[in-house]
Amino acid sequence: MDSGRWRRGAVSRGMLPLLALHAVNEYYRLPWKPPVTAGLLASNTLIYLRPSFLDSLLPFVDEVWFNPHLILKNKDMKRFFLSVFYHVDESHLVYNMISLLWKGIQLETSMGSTEFASMVVALLGLSQGITLLLAKSLLVFFDYGRPYYSEYAVGFSGLLFAMKVILNSHSENFTNVHGLIVPARYAAWAELILIQMFVPRVSFLGHLGGILAGILYLKLKGSYSGPNPLTTIIRELTSLLRWPVRFIRNTFRLRRRRILGQGTVGGGERRSLSGTWRCQACTYDNSDWLSNCEMCGTSQSSESGGFSRQVSRRSRDLSLEELRRRRVERFG
């Protein structure tokens, strides 16, 4: 989370192609592509670029700065929720998105997309709420209004600190934090101090709020044995949004099945369909109103003997390719 005044026109897009190349390369080598992480990357990048088709819909960064004074005074929830998706410059965006790519892939792959999405929503509310509470507490109890209560900040890094806490919560390994080797479970705290020492413009309370949000999330999750209500809501919403797609896909499949027929060639899985009978010779599924196989001519009562058995033997002698060719010719 970066603080300070935003300057229009100070945007150089030389780093964005490198971010895109890095993201494509990471996703290309993954057997499963985490969709929520990709969506977060895309939304942050699109908000920063402000393409023409979104320009009229997106508020400007001056309207969404995270400022405790303005949020509490005006009850401005737009600043509370949207400030995490805005970045002051290209290096700020690229640094956060590369970190999100690495953490998001690991967390989403391990916990699943629905659980990961619910975690991101919870961490957003917790980190922003804790940051707001810390700023207000410093003002009320210590009369310390500046820079925290009146500071302007944006960026995704508060959530990234929370993700780092969760990712390393059970790790027994050591990690490198800007050249300093520390236990992985304390990496977020070490990074908080080092970044504040060398990059004074960043929001200390925003990063601290993210760390505390990650710790609180783990505590709440560990103490609650029931299903996550937020995960259940997201799963139901996702299922509701997918229903039109499933309906169209199933309709298309049914229509295609009616056009191409229900049959299978080549000894596939034996299955019984309502209103059909399967030819013992070529395994084609025929309608009940047909007495002979529509594909090879074998009688439905192939066990009765005589002509039907001869036809059955003859059809078995046909090659798989010949049966396919006859089926294609029959249905044009």
Side-chain angles (χ1 to χ4, degrees):
M1 185 173 286
D2 206 334
S3 61
R5 285 292 177 181
W6 182 69
R7 296 173 298 165
R8 283 189 178 89
V11 177
S12 170
R13 298 182 179 178
M15 297 175 66
L16 286 179
L18 296 178
L19 171 63
L21 182 62
H22 182 64
V24 170
N25 180 62
E26 287 293 320
Y27 268 77
Y28 177 77
R29 64 184 183 83
L30 292 173
W32 178 73
K33 323 298 182 187
V36 178
T37 300
L40 290 172
L41 287 167
S43 60
N44 278 271
T45 305
L46 285 174
I47 287 174
Y48 176 77
L49 292 175
R50 297 185 67 90
S52 57
F53 65 92
L54 290 177
D55 188 65
S56 59
L57 302 176
L58 295 173
F60 288 100
V61 70
D62 292 332
E63 304 173 71
V64 298
W65 285 108
F66 185 88
N67 180 273
H69 170 68
L70 294 178
I71 291 174
L72 294 175
K73 177 184 177 181
N74 303 324
K75 297 181 174 57
D76 192 349
M77 301 309 292
K78 178 171 76 275
R79 295 179 182 272
F80 186 90
F81 289 108
L82 295 184
S83 58
V84 298
F85 299 103
Y86 282 72
H87 293 82
V88 293
D89 54 38
E90 189 173 21
S91 61
H92 186 208
L93 171 73
V94 172
Y95 180 84
N96 279 351
M97 292 304 100
I98 290 177
S99 180
L100 171 62
L101 182 66
W102 185 76
K103 295 179 178 68
I105 286 176
Q106 294 187 76
L107 288 170
E108 188 173 357
T109 302
S110 63
M111 65 176 56
S113 295
T114 305
E115 184 72 23
F116 177 72
S118 70
M119 184 198 73
V120 171
V121 174
L123 291 179
L124 191 156
L126 288 173
S127 63
Q128 298 289 80
I130 290 173
T131 303
L132 192 64
L133 182 62
L134 289 173
K136 184 65 175 179
S137 299
L138 287 172
L139 177 68
V140 172
F141 296 110
F142 302 99
D143 195 24
Y144 195 63
R146 288 186 174 274
Y148 300 123
Y149 192 68
S150 301
E151 115 178 322
Y152 292 82
V154 289
F156 207 80
S157 53
L159 269 71
L160 294 175
F161 270 87
M163 289 183 188
K164 183 187 285 286
V165 170
I166 294 170
L167 190 61
N168 296 328
S169 59
H170 300 295
S171 176
E172 299 295 335
N173 299 324
F174 287 79
T175 187
N176 187 318
V177 180
H178 304 290
L180 184 65
I181 305 300
V182 297
R185 65 177 63 185
Y186 302 120
W189 293 103
E191 187 170 0
L192 172 69
I193 296 172
L194 290 174
I195 288 182
Q196 196 64 34
M197 288 172 59
F198 297 105
V199 190
R201 286 182 61 233
V202 300
S203 172
F204 175 76
L205 281 192
H207 293 170
L208 178 60
I211 292 176
L212 297 178
I215 295 174
L216 180 58
Y217 177 85
L218 290 172
K219 295 290 185 182
L220 292 174
K221 188 175 181 181
S223 62
Y224 182 70
S225 58
N228 187 339
L230 190 56
T231 301
T232 304
I233 293 173
I234 292 177
R235 184 178 290 112
E236 293 300 325
L237 288 175
T238 304
S239 178
L240 185 64
L241 292 174
R242 287 178 179 173
W243 180 84
V245 178
R246 288 199 302 269
F247 177 77
I248 295 172
R249 184 172 56 193
N250 292 337
T251 303
F252 177 77
R253 284 179 178 174
L254 178 62
R255 194 174 165 194
R256 185 178 179 185
R257 190 175 295 162
R258 287 175 177 172
I259 294 173
L260 299 180
Q262 298 273 3
T264 58
V265 178
E269 178 187 359
R270 297 182 63 85
R271 56 193 174 100
S272 176
L273 299 175
S274 177
T276 65
W277 60 275
R278 173 160 293 185
C279 176
Q280 297 298 316
C282 67
T283 72
Y284 182 75
D285 291 326
N286 299 273
S287 299
D288 278 342
W289 55 269
L290 292 175
S291 58
N292 293 328
C293 176
E294 194 176 8
M295 175 60 64
C296 65
T298 302
S299 171
Q300 182 176 2
S301 55
S302 58
E303 301 297 325
S304 61
F307 174 75
S308 60
R309 281 200 300 270
Q310 293 175 8
V311 174
S312 177
R313 284 195 298 271
R314 186 167 63 249
S315 61
R316 286 194 185 98
D317 293 336
L318 293 175
S319 67
L320 181 61
E321 189 61 35
E322 178 65 16
L323 287 174
R324 286 180 178 151
R325 187 186 63 78
R326 291 189 180 189
R327 185 176 182 182
V328 171
E329 289 179 353
R330 176 173 294 275
F331 292 98

